[in-house]
């Protein structure tokens, strides 16, 4: 960012056109008290926070036709569908957002996945991924999801019987399941190939983990040496053992993004844009990472994280790994039925 841009942004925060109350509908940890206090001091706005999750956010905005809040933070796959069906958001005025604050690949992906009728409805904020959690002293040969099926780790791996596993294996097998989202026949064909692979892979699986604690215990006890799991889980395990950490798969980690959207009947758009531009500053984003545990789409914010977390992040996500993340798009109707059948058959296979 240029010095002029920094100065312009600072002046804009110091002298807002009008002081408003920003009614923010968000997740726990995304609007910590120290960030709110700093924002209110610099802008004159006040912030009222309502904590929620995806299902509740959509339900609240549907019930009011997009009223009651000025800024909300659903995941990017919860925007295009609800907007097309219920009209609960308003388009973003991208000219009011400082795009230079964002990691370009994340901003591009979120814009594409939240575009409805040619209008962009969301920009990225907090993100995370699933990929590989490895004991690198015993499973350094595992580079991608399908390597969990290799003889070198037979009987020592774990993953969930959930859709991220289906998606991850499809990418590792050289297919693009997201590109087939609009074609049920093509998606079914991809899933059939993944099903066959997962059935063949069953002898390698020590256990299909169901919850984070179960996975942690399997890794800590040494019962498994390789798993498909979340980045934050891998980093937490790394605190106990330097050999265990999160590794971005060669075919790309699978990423989720919680966004910023404007509810259709919000009445403090200027305050909403001020909040977005304020919290996406690298230093402020690092404060949110410290609170939420996940990184944000703020360019360079990892440099302001704690030394320990920064080291883990940078080791797991060099720039090329970030740009290779496969971001979840909205799921079309009907695909969950296809996936459910595959998962049931894999579970029942001998």
């Amino acid at each position: 960012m240029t010095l002029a841009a920094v100065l312009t942004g600072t002046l804009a925060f110091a002298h807002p056109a009008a002081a408003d109350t920003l009614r923010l509908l968000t997740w726990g940890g995304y609007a910590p008290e120290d960030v709110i206090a700093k924002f209110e001091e610099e802008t004159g706005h006040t912030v009222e926070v309502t904590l929620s999750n995806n299902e509740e956010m959509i339900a609240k905005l549907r019930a009011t036709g997009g009223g009651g809040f000025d800024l909300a933070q659903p995941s990017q796959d919860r925007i295009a569908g609800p907007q097309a069906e219920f009209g609960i958001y308003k388009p973003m005025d991208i000219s009011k957002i400082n795009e230079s604050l964002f990691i370009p690949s994340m901003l591009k992906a979120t814009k594409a996945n939240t575009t409805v009728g040619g209008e962009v409805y969301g920009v990225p904020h907090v993100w995370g991924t699933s990929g590989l959690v490895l004991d690198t002293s015993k499973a350094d040969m595992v580079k991608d999801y399908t390597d969990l099926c290799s003889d070198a780790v037979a009987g020592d791996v774990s993953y969930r019987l959930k859709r991220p596993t289906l998606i991850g294996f499809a990418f590792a097998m050289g297919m693009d399941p997201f590109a087939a989202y609009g074609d049920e026949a093509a998606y079914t064909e991809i899933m059939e190939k993944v099903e066959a692979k997962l059935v063949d892979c069953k002898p390698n699986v020590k256990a299909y983990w169901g919850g984070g604690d179960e996975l942690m215990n399997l890794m800590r006890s040494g019962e498994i040496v390789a798993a498909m799991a979340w980045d934050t889980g891998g980093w937490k395990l790394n605190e106990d053992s330097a050999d265990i950490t999160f590794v971005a798969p060669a075919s790309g980690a699978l990423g989720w993004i919680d966004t910023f959207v404007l509810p259709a009947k919000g009445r403090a758009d200027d305050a909403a844009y001020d909040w977005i531009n304020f919290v996406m500053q690298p230093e402020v984003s690092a404060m949110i990472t410290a609170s939420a545990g996940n990184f944000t789409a703020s360019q360079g914010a990892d440099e302001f994280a704690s030394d320990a977390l920064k080291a883990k992040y940078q080791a797991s996500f060099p720039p090329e790994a970030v740009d290779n993340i496969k971001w979840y798009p909205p799921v079309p109707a009907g695909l969950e039925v296809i996936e459910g059948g595959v998962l049931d058959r894999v579970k029942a296979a001998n």
Side-chain angles (χ1 to χ4, degrees):
M1 192 191 311
T2 65
L3 177 60
V6 172
L7 292 174
T8 300
T10 302
L11 290 172
F13 288 135
H15 304 285
D20 292 312
T21 296
L22 175 67
R23 299 166 301 166
L24 177 62
L25 184 62
T26 190
W27 301 77
Y30 288 15
E33 289 297 326
D34 53 354
V35 171
I36 291 174
K38 189 175 177 67
F39 174 75
E40 291 181 339
E41 180 181 0
E42 292 193 20
T43 67
H45 301 308
T46 56
V47 181
E48 295 178 356
V49 175
T50 299
L51 299 181
S52 191
N53 57 45
N54 274 319
E55 289 71 26
E56 289 180 357
M57 286 185 203
I58 303 303
K60 288 178 184 293
L61 295 175
R62 279 189 63 187
T64 59
F69 300 94
D70 307 300
L71 189 65
Q73 297 208 248
S75 298
Q76 69 166 357
D77 59 351
R78 307 300 182 96
I79 297 175
Q83 174 57 24
E85 189 171 359
F86 309 118
I88 55 178
Y89 309 124
K90 67 177 74 171
M92 283 274 180
D93 183 348
I94 299 299
S95 71
K96 293 185 177 180
I97 293 171
N98 187 345
E99 295 185 76
S100 69
L101 293 172
F102 294 80
I103 296 172
S105 61
M106 292 189 194
L107 182 60
K108 180 180 179 181
T110 303
K111 281 181 173 182
N113 286 328
T114 64
T115 294
V116 179
E119 299 275 12
V120 173
Y121 284 84
V123 293
H125 187 212
V126 176
W127 64 278
T129 68
S130 57
L132 299 169
V133 173
L134 308 175
D135 182 336
T136 56
S137 69
K138 300 173 182 177
D140 63 341
M141 76 296 294
V142 176
K143 307 296 185 184
D144 214 336
Y145 303 107
T146 47
D147 293 336
L148 296 171
C149 304
S150 69
D151 292 340
V153 290
D156 296 328
V157 307
S158 183
Y159 43 79
R160 293 189 301 166
L161 280 181
K162 296 289 185 180
R163 72 180 308 267
T165 300
L166 302 179
I167 298 297
F169 268 73
F171 276 115
M173 293 167 68
M175 299 177 286
D176 187 343
F178 294 160
Y181 263 18
D183 185 336
E184 282 198 23
Y187 195 73
T188 298
E189 183 177 350
I190 289 174
M191 288 297 108
E192 287 173 347
K193 294 177 181 177
V194 171
E195 178 181 339
K197 182 68 173 178
L198 291 176
V199 170
D200 288 344
C201 195
K202 285 196 77 169
N204 267 40
V205 180
K206 176 76 173 182
Y208 296 117
W209 65 269
D213 288 343
E214 181 182 1
L215 171 69
M216 296 283 188
N217 291 334
L218 287 168
M219 290 294 299
R220 287 181 176 129
S221 67
E223 292 180 77
I224 63 171
V225 299
M228 183 175 176
W230 299 296
D231 46 19
T232 50
W235 296 333
K236 186 173 183 180
L237 287 165
N238 184 254
E239 295 173 5
D240 302 327
S241 171
D243 290 329
I244 302 175
T245 193
F246 178 86
V247 175
S251 60
L254 303 178
W256 55 265
I257 297 179
D258 291 334
T259 67
F260 293 112
V261 299
L262 299 174
K265 296 180 182 176
R267 56 177 188 242
D269 288 359
D270 286 343
Y273 288 119
D274 281 350
W275 176 264
I276 294 170
N277 289 326
F278 178 80
V279 301
M280 292 309 295
Q281 296 175 102
E283 299 93 331
V284 179
S285 279
M287 296 166 68
I288 293 172
T289 292
S291 170
N294 289 94
F295 281 88
T296 76
S298 171
Q299 181 88 286
D302 56 297
E303 292 294 338
F304 295 90
S306 68
D307 289 343
L309 188 55
K310 177 170 63 177
K312 294 171 188 174
Y313 170 82
Q314 293 179 344
S316 296
F317 286 107
E320 60 271 19
V322 172
D323 291 342
N324 194 34
I325 293 171
K326 305 300 191 288
W327 301 106
Y328 285 109
V331 181
L335 296 196
E336 291 180 349
V337 175
I338 297 171
E339 295 168 351
V342 169
L343 294 168
D344 288 343
R345 290 190 293 273
V346 171
K347 185 177 181 179
N350 293 322

